[in-house]
Each structure stands twice: as C-alpha cells, then as structure tokens.
Amino acid sequence: MVPPIVVGVDGSEPSLRAVDWAADEAALRGAPLRLVHASLWEPDGEENEDGPAGATESARSVVRAAARRARLRRPDVVVSAEVVSEEPEYALVRAGRTASALVLGTRGRSGLVEMLLGSVGLTVAGQADCPVIVLGGGHDNRVSAGEGGRVVVGVGETGTDSAALRFAVQEARLRRAALDAVRAWRCPPHESVEHPLFAGDPARLHEQYAADVLELALKEVPPEVDLRRRTVEGAARRVLLDASHGADLLVVGARRNPGHLGLRSGRVVHAVLHHAACAVAVVPEEE
C-alpha cells in the first residue's frame, strides 16, 4: 500500500488550501490522505464551552469540514482524520514517519512563514522523515497534472544519490511536467567574471565544473522525463528563487545537522520558504 499524504489542518483558509493540494497529490500517487489537527489546550481554571470538551469538539469540527472538502474534491481518495492533543510540530513529525509527504499551508508573513526561523515550519522540515511541501500564502492550491507544468530541482554536491532529485523526478512523472534541474555556480571574489583580468577562462572553468556536476547527478534520470539542464551564475538562493517563477513546485534537498534541530543548508531553505513564487518541497538527504 502506498504511504499516505499527511496534511496539517487548523481550520484556516491556508490550511484548507493545503488540504486541496494534498488531496490532488494523493490522487496522483494513488495514496490515502490523512488529515491531522494538533493543538494543546491550556486550562485557565474555569470549565465552560471553551474548556477541554469545547476545544475538542471545535477541533473535530475542523477536521470534519476539511475531510468533507477533500472528499468533494477527490472522491476517489480514501480520507482519514485525526485530532491529537499535542504541539503541532511534534504531531506532524510523528505522522511523517509513515507518510509519502507532509503538506503544510502558511498564512504569509503574519503566520507560519514569519515563524519559520524557530517554529513549526523548520522544526517539521528539519526532523520529518519524509518530504515536507510548504504552500506560501500566494501559491495556488491545485496540483497541476498535464503538459505544460514545470518542476524545478536545485542540484547540489550530492552526486547521483540525491533524495531531492529522486522526489523531483517522481513529481515530474506524476504530473507529466517538465523537470528543470538547476545548478548555481559562482566565481570566488578574486576571480570576478566582471573583472577584465579574470574574464573568460576562470569563469568558464567554474561554469564547466557546474555543468559536470549537473550531468553526473542527472545520468540516471529516466529518458521519458522531459529534462532541462541549467547552470546559472549566482548565489543558490537567488538562482532558485528566480527559477521558482512560473513553476508548479520547487524541490530542495536539506541535510540535517547531527544532534541539532536545524538544517545544514538552512540559509537556502529559509530563503525559498520565505520568498519562492511556488510551493516548496524540502526533502531530507541522508548523511
């Protein structure tokens, strides 16, 4: 059986948009969809409609509404729902242990994206055992499937054994979309391509190295994938953000820091989660 797609829901419009995306993703994969609502109710000493019973019923209403929405959107997808009394990040990380992917919605700069440096988003992306797909406030809520779509993947130094590349290839095949494999490169400051003494050969050497790394990484991509190779001069953050415009999904790999909660490639991940023009999939890479 295909592992489920898990989506965090809290009743907000961004989380419902994430439900739409997750339902489409589940349909593409032939996977079940699992809705998770998690929160901790803090008692204030008074028992009323806002107490534990009221909070629990409110949470159940949230997941029932989300489940109805998912079933209406994708009647062929098996939908389940769970309400847990736990911090959302920990509940989602646990759910991700048996998931194909986790899907999260954000509220733009006033919500999760604003909190990414030390809260739910990066905690989940830093600890989840599966890819984490984050939809920003301005991103579409529909997984496109058909000709004309585009998946972008950032290619680092992982060679052919890249979980991010494997995930991007799978997404491109499921969506029947083109796959843009992007490798950023830069000259060291003392070899600036704009300096007349260093124009030409040094720049070409750096670009050729980037092309060689890209070719090595992509040598096992199936021939039926519409693959486009790109080497671009510039910082990885800027290159990937530029590439995200007009894309359906941007895929980045992230290595965990042993003994820490963060991600080794945190600056790039932070940048694309904050500013990408499309949904972002953060894929954990093995050490």
Side-chain angles (χ1 to χ4, degrees):
M1 183 177 179
V2 180
I5 299 294
V6 173
V7 57
V9 297
D10 62 9
S12 67
E13 182 57 31
S15 81
L16 293 177
R17 292 173 56 249
V19 168
D20 292 345
W21 177 285
D24 288 351
E25 186 77 27
L28 282 178
R29 292 170 175 262
L33 176 64
R34 182 182 174 193
L35 312 177
V36 176
H37 175 90
S39 64
L40 285 179
W41 180 82
E42 296 293 341
D44 59 7
E46 296 183 7
E47 290 291 334
N48 52 40
E49 66 271 19
D50 296 322
T56 300
E57 182 54 36
S58 175
R60 289 172 179 163
S61 296
V62 165
V63 296
R64 282 197 296 266
R68 284 195 298 271
R69 180 174 177 129
R71 292 184 180 113
L72 285 172
R73 186 180 183 90
R74 291 292 184 176
D76 54 327
V77 171
V78 175
V79 179
S80 62
E82 180 183 7
V83 175
V84 295
S85 178
E86 190 176 6
E87 293 288 0
E89 53 266 48
Y90 302 130
L92 290 168
V93 167
R94 190 180 67 252
R97 292 171 186 163
T98 55
S100 296
L102 281 166
V103 182
L104 303 175
T106 75
R107 296 182 177 86
R109 299 206 60 82
S110 63
L112 176 58
V113 172
E114 186 68 16
M115 300 160 59
L116 277 174
L117 293 179
S119 190
V120 177
L122 280 186
T123 299
V124 175
Q127 297 186 50
D129 294 324
C130 67
V132 177
I133 301 173
V134 180
L135 278 67
H139 303 163
D140 191 11
N141 63 338
R142 181 176 295 275
V143 172
S144 62
E147 302 300 327
R150 187 165 68 93
V151 173
V152 176
V153 59
V155 176
E157 298 283 356
T158 53
T160 58
D161 187 24
S162 166
L165 180 58
R166 292 194 298 271
F167 182 81
V169 168
Q170 180 184 38
E171 288 292 303
R173 295 177 71 176
L174 289 171
R175 299 158 184 258
R176 302 191 302 280
L179 177 62
D180 279 7
V182 181
R183 167 75 182 183
W185 63 274
R186 300 184 75 178
C187 278
H190 64 281
E191 297 180 4
S192 170
V193 295
E194 297 178 357
H195 194 290
L197 295 178
F198 296 105
D201 287 346
R204 285 199 294 269
L205 287 174
H206 288 290
E207 185 173 16
Q208 184 59 53
Y209 174 75
D212 292 344
V213 170
L214 192 60
E215 195 63 32
L216 176 65
L218 301 175
K219 69 178 185 178
E220 295 181 6
V221 174
E224 65 269 22
V225 174
D226 181 8
L227 178 62
R228 305 167 186 177
R229 300 164 174 81
R230 294 177 56 202
T231 58
V232 184
E233 193 279 331
R237 287 172 290 174
R238 179 182 63 79
V239 169
L240 291 176
L241 289 174
D242 288 346
S244 73
H245 289 278
D248 301 305
L249 182 67
L250 170 62
V251 182
V252 292
R255 293 188 181 277
R256 298 189 178 104
N257 282 316
H260 297 82
L261 298 182
L263 296 169
R264 182 169 298 172
S265 54
R267 294 176 66 185
V268 173
V269 172
H270 285 206
V272 298
L273 287 174
H274 277 82
H275 303 297
C278 65
V280 176
V282 179
V283 182
E285 298 283 4
E286 295 297 329
E287 289 296 332

